Amino acid sequence: MIATESLSKRFPRVTALDRLSLDIGPGVTGLVGANGAGKSTMIKILLGLSPATEGRAEVLGLDVATSGAQIRERVGYMPEHDCLPPDVSATEFVVHMARMSGLPATAARERTADTLRHVGLYEERYRPIGGYSTGMKQRVKLAQALVHDPQLVLLDEPTNGLDPVGRDEMLGLIRRVWTEFGISVLVTSHLLGELERTCDHVVVIDGGRLLRSSSTSDFTQITTTLAVEVTDSDTHPDGTATLRAALAAAGVTLHEGVEDGLPGAGHILLVEAAGEETYDLVRDTVADLGLGLVRMEQRRHHIAEVFRAEGSQEQQEVPTR
Amino acid sequence: MSSPAQTPETTRIHNIGYRNYDGPRLGRAYARRALFSQSLRGAYGLGRSAKSKVLPMILFAVMCVPALIIVAVAVVTKAPKLAIEYTQYAIYLQLVIAIYLAAQAPQSVSRDLRFRTVPLYFSRPIDRVDYVLAKYGAMASALFILTAAPLLILFIGSLLAKLDFATQSKLFGQGLVSVALLSLLFGGIGLVMAALTPRRGFGVAAVIAVMVISYGAVSTLQGIAYGTDNVDAIKWMGLFSPVTLIDGVQTAFLGAPTAFPGGAAAAPGAGAGAVYVLVVLALIAGSYGVLMRRYRKVGL
């Protein structure tokens, strides 16, 4: 789907991409990096809108330097920022964008109705976009990227600004774009946690360099961590310490790291989850001790963890598949 | 994805799932035309909210009503000629044209900048040049419709009043050339002003300022020059406002009576007229160039 070969992009003062070589196949691929890591620059180059300083890139087997228009006819793009005029309806806007992709008027209308239904917009699609919630706007943005039935969509931070429920819905939708629609997806995010549930493959870049490229199962094995918080009781004045001791005795690996800056950070135990049974074990241990379980949640992994895990190693370019 | 076999007596709604599109993809030239027609329709509020239809439609009516009155008078009184020349019409109603341009040029380009729709366009097969051509073409066409429609009314009216067909056709043709040039010139200036700012209000103010203030300044100075007997200076001053530029071109080459103070003596002849034409063409080309530069940085 996408292949780059020592792709570099240098601006007068910054190097946005530094000899990046990637080979991305069909499926859902996450492109993870902190703000300014070069994700958006990468997308611009892939759409043929910004020339690379050196190296080359191919999308769908077409060279980005020479075949930009053909690529853009077959690729969908959802920008990170707002891009919707408030005074037209979703239907009118998406029909117009479909025609801008080269679809004849009748096909544009049919595809618009289909696509808006698939992203979950129904009656409200006839109302002006200005009155939509953030979640609905994100769906319209996704719809305009899918309306011309591309072979590949590039989604730039599609979960930005969404609440947790909206986030999960959007991620589910992205998953369906591949599993049901058969459209490959390149999705960027600065949160590794949300991508590992959605993507088949994750590419991590930092400072324009490839940090890591592997299938998501590898990430999950390393980083599944549970955050557990319990109450104190009369018999156990320090519930956290008691539970720590009990879990350690049961053979569970506990992380010593304390999360900074969170309320009650000192009372949160970080438990490494080996599998389903760890959840049961924690629940049973807490119950046996007679403590109240305030929370037990999968911690959202931050990109920084990959840096911590990989930081000591030499940065190496691992070809994807 | 395929729905199971259906028996006639059971009616069920199937989720037919995702359907792929195998139809034609018409590419860049088609996309450019689609943007052109969307922008042209938008300039009259078509395909937009009811509110945005009000102003352009009122201005269109205001442009046409005087023509209807003139025609009615000519038909009733059986006058030997129309009360106004085709070429004069747009000059007399220049304020209406300026208001239309000030309202619609920012509508056409500032919205795309403000709501950041421009990057979406450039993620489609079109290029910068397609965007600029489509927007410029649509604005000029919208102005042409606004200015040519009353001329058409005058022409049809003149035929109803049984005026000489050959003469009227020639004058009508000259009028059309004049408003076509005016549409290109005004459209370019309006879009450049509007494209400099994503704020629609600034765009409106800038267009009004350029069109109205420049004309006011030029005609005031021309009046002073006339009063101080500097008749020769009058025709060169006309180079500094869009309206007087068009006036100069059509006086020199399209048989129009001039609106400059001093009349025929002050009007540019063929030599000065050529300068007028060059300036008009340079401004049109310049507007196009500025727009191309303006959108160089906007992609994504």
Side-chain angles (χ1 to χ4, degrees), chain A residues 72 87 92 102 144 148-149, chain B residues 21 25-26 47 111 124:
Chain A
R72 294 197 296 274
D87 56 348
E92 284 169 63
Q144 65 80 28
H148 55 298
D149 190 28
Chain B
Y21 176 73
R25 291 171 195 269
L26 303 172
R111 282 171 78 252
R124 297 329 214 224

Side-chain angles (χ1 to χ4, degrees), chain A residues 164-216:
Chain A
V165 177
R167 210 165 258 262
D168 286 343
E169 283 173 0
M170 177 55 72
L171 291 171
L173 205 49
I174 291 169
R175 189 71 212 155
R176 277 179 54 213
V177 169
W178 166 240
T179 55
E180 289 179 29
F181 309 172
I183 299 171
S184 287
V185 180
L186 180 72
V187 50
T188 75
S189 178
H190 53 267
L191 294 172
L192 178 58
E194 65 177 31
L195 286 188
E196 69 179 22
R197 283 183 286 142
T198 316
C199 300
D200 307 310
H201 212 93
V202 171
V203 174
V204 184
I205 59 173
D206 183 48
R209 283 163 164 270
L210 183 72
L211 206 60
R212 186 174 174 148
S213 168
S214 51
S215 76
T216 24

Side-chain angles (χ1 to χ4, degrees), chain B residues 103-153:
Chain B
Q104 300 308 317
Q107 183 283 125
S108 182
V109 291
S110 305
R111 282 171 78 252
D112 284 354
L113 290 170
R114 172 149 173 228
F115 304 122
R116 304 176 77 183
T117 321
V118 177
L120 275 193
Y121 285 129
F122 293 140
S123 76
R124 297 329 214 224
I126 64 163
D127 269 337
R128 185 162 53 113
V129 52
D130 302 305
Y131 182 84
V132 170
L133 281 178
K135 285 289 180 186
Y136 196 166
M139 194 69 244
S141 303
L143 284 170
F144 185 73
I145 291 171
L146 185 76
T147 50
L151 299 191
L152 185 64
I153 293 172

